[in-house]
Amino acid sequence: MLRKSFAVALAFVTLAVFGLTGAQAGQTIKLGFGDPPESDQGVYARRFKEVVEQLSKGEIKVELFGGGALGTETEMLQTTRKGTLDMSLVFSGNAVPFVKELGTLTMPYLIKNEYDAVKVTTGELGAFWNETCIKKGGFRILGWVYSNFRHLTNNKRPITTIKDIKGLKIRIPQNKIHMATYRAWGANPVPISWPETFTALQQGVVDGQDNPYIVMYTSKFQEVQKYCTEVHHQYALQFLSVGERSWKKYDDKTREILTRAGIEAQQYNLLFQVSEASKAKASMAAEGVQMSNLTDEDEWIKRAKEKVWPEFYDFIGGKALIDKVEATLEAK
């Protein structure tokens, strides 16, 4: 069933790409991202680079800067908006300071599965996020990175019930919704920038963190974390951004190449995620991380929806936006 649903999902993002020439010659585009080059962000970035350079027949070069080499994701998005950085790959939660509506995508338990993740970023909703980012944020979205659910790791104890998380210090990104979610569960959330997360875990500044399997494994968290629990509160959605200031400088052919490459990389990343997430999980387990599942996730869902959702309706632009997303996801 999962693979059948992905066959349908891919119909949303599949776009044939053919040789396109005539782009502005001699361009070099710099693309920054926060995760390691081996991560799903890195996979997306490399595929984007390959397609752009192939379609432009070498007239456009793409330079990749991974691992937070150009700053945090929020910093990179800011420089992308200003036009001093051409493009950046950014977790949707890190873009909320610029476009509050993107906070919708971080609401706990809104996205229930991989198919929802694709549906919420394509079609009418995909166009809505892009138009809103252009209007309010000064950047546009060229493609999405599907990083799967953010599962929970820690160094204290196995977590199988909501009582087990009480009092644990959990690293979170700079996101108010994320913080409120962990507080609703009884944990002690601690905002820490991504480049500092590994060291914070290693030195015991925090007990744990949450991230998708591929991100955790390529970031070597299995070296500093003992326990992992599957928690399906948030499907990590990231996107490739380009500032409007930069976009307006490109000619039509360059824009067409970049648009097609963004979608091609999105499709490629989705296929990568389907095949590689389970491998990353198995590798973490093989290296000694104890894997657990929740026995009471209904309670986690209840607390999140009853305590967190109402608190942030205004923050994301109104309850009507949540209703719109839910209606879209529930539609056949």
Side-chain angles (χ1 to χ4, degrees):
M1 284 296 294
L2 180 60
R3 293 197 179 276
K4 285 184 73 176
S5 69
F6 266 98
V8 177
L10 284 173
F12 285 104
V13 295
T14 302
L15 180 65
V17 289
F18 303 95
L20 299 172
T21 57
Q24 293 167 320
Q27 293 186 84
T28 298
I29 292 174
K30 294 183 178 181
L31 193 167
F33 55 98
D35 291 343
E38 302 81 14
S39 68
D40 39 9
Q41 273 192 359
V43 167
Y44 182 103
R46 287 195 298 276
R47 183 60 176 172
F48 179 80
K49 170 182 169 69
E50 291 168 1
V51 175
V52 168
E53 294 180 354
Q54 180 182 17
L55 295 182
S56 69
K57 295 188 176 181
E59 293 178 358
I60 305 174
K61 300 292 185 183
V62 179
E63 291 185 5
L64 305 181
F65 299 85
L70 301 183
T72 67
E73 289 187 2
T74 302
E75 290 169 345
M76 284 189 285
L77 182 55
Q78 176 69 303
T79 53
T80 300
R81 294 170 69 238
K82 291 180 177 179
T84 52
L85 175 62
D86 300 307
M87 295 182 179
S88 54
L89 280 168
V90 179
F91 169 52
S92 56
N94 289 328
V96 173
F98 309 111
V99 181
K100 65 181 182 180
E101 287 82 357
L102 289 173
T104 307
L105 299 175
T106 69
M107 292 290 268
Y109 292 106
L110 177 65
I111 297 174
K112 301 177 182 66
N113 51 49
E114 291 84 354
Y115 183 73
D116 279 0
V118 174
K119 201 170 184 181
V120 81
T121 53
T122 54
E124 181 181 345
L125 283 176
F128 170 79
W129 305 125
N130 191 40
E131 291 165 6
T132 303
C133 288
I134 292 171
K135 180 180 178 180
K136 297 187 175 183
F139 62 90
R140 65 180 57 217
I141 297 172
L142 293 184
W144 292 86
V145 179
Y146 302 101
S147 292
N148 218 304
F149 287 101
R150 298 177 70 102
H151 300 305
L152 175 64
T153 67
N154 84 98
N155 253 344
K156 291 293 186 180
R157 52 183 173 267
I159 295 174
T160 59
T161 72
I162 202 161
K163 293 179 181 179
D164 297 327
I165 197 174
K166 186 175 182 180
L168 292 185
K169 292 181 291 184
I170 305 298
R171 175 270 170 186
I172 61 166
Q174 300 280 348
N175 182 275
K176 292 181 179 179
I177 297 173
H178 216 120
M179 178 174 288
T181 300
Y182 273 95
R183 282 179 176 165
W185 293 334
N188 178 17
V190 182
I192 295 176
S193 67
W194 179 240
E196 298 173 355
T197 299
F198 183 92
T199 301
L201 293 169
Q202 186 179 46
Q203 296 180 351
V205 175
V206 289
D207 302 313
Q209 59 82 51
D210 68 356
N211 261 295
Y213 283 126
I214 293 174
V215 175
M216 290 193 288
Y217 185 66
T218 57
S219 299
K220 302 186 185 301
F221 285 177
Q222 66 275 11
E223 296 179 2
V224 292
Q225 295 280 268
K226 298 177 182 178
Y227 308 102
C228 180
T229 304
E230 292 205 344
V231 183
H232 306 92
H233 68 295
Q234 186 182 116
Y235 193 101
L237 290 169
Q238 304 169 85
F239 58 82
L240 176 63
S241 65
V242 55
E244 281 298 284
R245 292 183 181 181
S246 297
W247 188 252
K248 290 176 181 177
K249 296 178 182 178
Y250 299 138
D251 62 19
D252 290 342
K253 189 60 64 175
T254 298
R255 292 177 184 175
E256 184 176 0
I257 290 172
L258 297 179
T259 299
R260 290 185 174 224
I263 296 174
E264 166 68 10
Q266 178 174 327
Q267 178 189 17
Y268 187 86
N269 163 261
L270 182 58
L271 293 171
F272 174 84
Q273 182 60 239
V274 171
S275 64
E276 297 299 319
S278 59
K279 293 180 184 178
K281 175 184 177 181
S283 295
M284 289 177 64
E287 293 186 33
V289 178
Q290 181 178 324
M291 297 292 174
S292 301
N293 292 296
L294 295 177
T295 60
D296 63 344
E297 195 157 11
D298 286 346
E299 180 63 25
W300 297 61
I301 296 171
K302 179 182 178 182
R303 292 198 190 184
K305 288 191 173 182
E306 290 182 355
K307 295 185 177 183
V308 181
W309 282 32
E311 181 182 349
F312 287 94
Y313 287 145
D314 291 340
F315 178 77
I316 64 170
K319 184 177 181 296
L321 184 51
I322 286 284
D323 294 341
K324 177 179 180 179
V325 172
E326 287 195 298
T328 301
L329 295 181
E330 292 170 4
K332 301 297 184 182

